[in-house]
Amino acid sequence: MNGVGTLGSETEHRARHVAIIMDGNGRWAKKRGLPRAIGHQRGVEAVRRLVRGLEPMGLECLTLYAFSSENWKRSEDEVDDLMNLMRRFIKSDLPEFVENGVKLKIIGDWRALAPDIVAMLEDALAQTANGHQTLAVALNYGAQDEIARAATQAASEGEITPDAISQRLDTHDLPPLDLLIRTSGEIRLSNFLLWQAAYAEMLFVDTLWPDFKPEHLGQALDDFARRERRYGGR
Ligand code: FPP
């Protein structure tokens, strides 16, 4: 195992699309007697490290759960902190995305966010449209809502079939999900990519999100390459 996710041979299948539930920012901060906001800041740094380390891993798409439709239930201060982090992250890292060929995609009901964030995201989507590695960020995202929207659209346009729904999900233009990782030791999906996870491998790690490094993802990719996937067959 080389821990950088660059292995490849006839018998190994390389992951194309990995998604991560980034959990544990609050606990990371609490363990150190720091405010939750610092945990989220360190969480953004973990995102930045990971995106910078993406190129050699050969992934086509990394999808990150940044803000769920349930996260509005958090305190107003915490929601404000998360939104401000988002603003700062886009502003500071967009030039690097463009330079490194990172193509931004947003999933979820993101157009319901604050108008200035929507405008920043639209600009970021346009500027990164020619990138070759997709960073999909789930914002104001809930899988049940995504599936309901897709099913409603499929029904209005014809028959509701699995294919018709898949083609209308926010992720319709992304590769199939290969691996879903959740950090911080919690073992649940929290309304993330429920449809897309049907045949995905799952990996639950104890690492708190701010401590998650590109090497962790590299190791997960190497392990994935060795797993046998049957898709219900034998
Ligand atoms: C879970 O930690 C994390 C979140 C609710 C938000 C994830 C957001 C970031 C990593 C930063 C923003 C991302 C971008 C792309 C700018 P938690 O607060 O639920 O942790 P806890 O369960 O330990 O309290």
Side-chain angles (χ1 to χ4, degrees):
M1 293 192 190
N2 63 6
V4 293
T6 52
L7 288 182
S9 80
E10 300 272 323
T11 54
E12 287 168 343
H13 25 221
R14 186 181 284 277
R16 298 172 65 197
H17 182 181
V18 174
I20 308 182
I21 302 175
M22 309 181 288
D23 196 10
N25 295 346
R27 275 162 288 165
W28 185 95
K30 193 170 179 192
K31 264 177 44 181
R32 291 161 177 79
L34 296 167
R36 292 178 66 78
I38 303 290
H40 291 315
Q41 274 178 31
R42 294 303 186 92
V44 173
E45 284 167 28
V47 170
R48 183 174 290 124
R49 272 198 309 262
L50 201 57
V51 177
R52 285 182 178 157
L54 264 189
E55 182 73 48
M57 296 191 203
L59 269 184
E60 287 171 48
C61 181
L62 175 69
T63 299
L64 300 177
Y65 204 4
F67 194 85
S68 80
S69 44
E70 284 79 34
N71 284 155
W72 296 111
K73 294 181 203 144
R74 297 190 176 204
S75 74
E76 204 180 320
D77 277 356
E78 185 167 357
V79 170
D80 283 350
D81 282 340
L82 286 167
M83 292 299 153
N84 285 331
L85 280 174
M86 204 73 63
R87 289 182 175 94
R88 266 186 272 151
F89 177 66
I90 301 164
K91 215 177 231 171
S92 59
D93 287 45
L94 180 59
E96 209 174 301
F97 287 180
V98 175
E99 192 173 325
N100 297 336
V102 173
K103 176 179 179 169
L104 191 67
K105 177 177 170 80
I106 314 291
I107 62 171
D109 190 11
W110 60 278
R111 287 178 194 281
L113 296 175
D116 70 301
I117 296 187
V118 173
M120 284 176 94
L121 291 172
E122 278 171 343
D123 175 52
L125 292 171
Q127 285 200 48
T128 61
N130 295 324
H132 59 275
Q133 247 179 342
T134 300
L135 173 67
V137 182
L139 288 178
N140 197 18
Y141 176 89
Q144 292 176 343
D145 170 68
E146 180 195 29
I147 295 166
R149 283 189 279 111
T152 304
Q153 204 191 334
S156 73
E157 291 169 7
E159 214 187 339
I160 303 184
T161 62
D163 272 352
I165 291 177
S166 293
Q167 285 159 20
R168 288 163 180 82
L169 293 172
D170 297 348
T171 54
H172 66 94
D173 51 351
L174 300 180
L177 181 63
D178 293 307
L179 175 64
L180 177 59
I181 301 173
R182 182 173 189 143
T183 60
S184 91
E186 305 290 343
I187 304 181
R188 57 178 178 271
L189 295 182
S190 300
N191 203 15
F192 189 47
L193 301 180
L194 298 182
W195 183 281
Q196 297 84 344
Y199 292 104
E201 298 282 328
M202 309 270 165
L203 179 65
F204 298 92
V205 296
D206 288 336
T207 314
L208 300 175
W209 177 250
D211 292 328
F212 195 87
K213 307 259 164 26
E215 294 74 21
H216 292 99
L217 179 57
Q219 186 66 61
L221 292 174
D222 287 349
D223 291 347
F224 172 87
R226 293 182 174 82
R227 293 197 203 181
E228 189 188 352
R229 298 171 85 197
R230 296 202 191 91
Y231 299 98
R234 293 201 61 81

mmCIF file of all heavy atoms in Angstrom, residues 28 83 160:
data_model
loop_
_atom_site.group_PDB
_atom_site.id
_atom_site.type_symbol
_atom_site.label_atom_id
_atom_site.label_comp_id
_atom_site.label_asym_id
_atom_site.label_seq_id
_atom_site.Cartn_x
_atom_site.Cartn_y
_atom_site.Cartn_z
ATOM 1 N N TRP A 28 -13.672 18.266 17.558
ATOM 2 C CA TRP A 28 -12.244 18.611 17.457
ATOM 3 C C TRP A 28 -11.969 19.866 18.294
ATOM 4 O O TRP A 28 -10.986 19.916 19.042
ATOM 5 C CB TRP A 28 -11.887 18.855 15.991
ATOM 6 C CG TRP A 28 -10.435 19.091 15.724
ATOM 7 C CD1 TRP A 28 -9.500 18.168 15.349
ATOM 8 C CD2 TRP A 28 -9.747 20.358 15.815
ATOM 9 N NE1 TRP A 28 -8.278 18.776 15.206
ATOM 10 C CE2 TRP A 28 -8.401 20.113 15.491
ATOM 11 C CE3 TRP A 28 -10.139 21.651 16.150
ATOM 12 C CZ2 TRP A 28 -7.441 21.128 15.469
ATOM 13 C CZ3 TRP A 28 -9.188 22.661 16.139
ATOM 14 C CH2 TRP A 28 -7.858 22.391 15.800
ATOM 15 N N MET A 83 -21.600 30.151 6.809
ATOM 16 C CA MET A 83 -21.814 30.903 5.559
ATOM 17 C C MET A 83 -20.628 31.836 5.275
ATOM 18 O O MET A 83 -20.187 31.979 4.137
ATOM 19 C CB MET A 83 -23.114 31.721 5.632
ATOM 20 C CG MET A 83 -24.363 30.862 5.665
ATOM 21 S SD MET A 83 -24.487 29.843 4.167
ATOM 22 C CE MET A 83 -25.430 28.466 4.782
ATOM 23 N N ILE A 160 -42.044 7.285 -14.051
ATOM 24 C CA ILE A 160 -41.063 7.289 -12.964
ATOM 25 C C ILE A 160 -40.333 5.949 -12.971
ATOM 26 O O ILE A 160 -40.883 4.941 -12.549
ATOM 27 C CB ILE A 160 -41.724 7.491 -11.591
ATOM 28 C CG1 ILE A 160 -42.534 8.783 -11.575
ATOM 29 C CG2 ILE A 160 -40.682 7.513 -10.491
ATOM 30 C CD1 ILE A 160 -43.136 9.103 -10.223
#
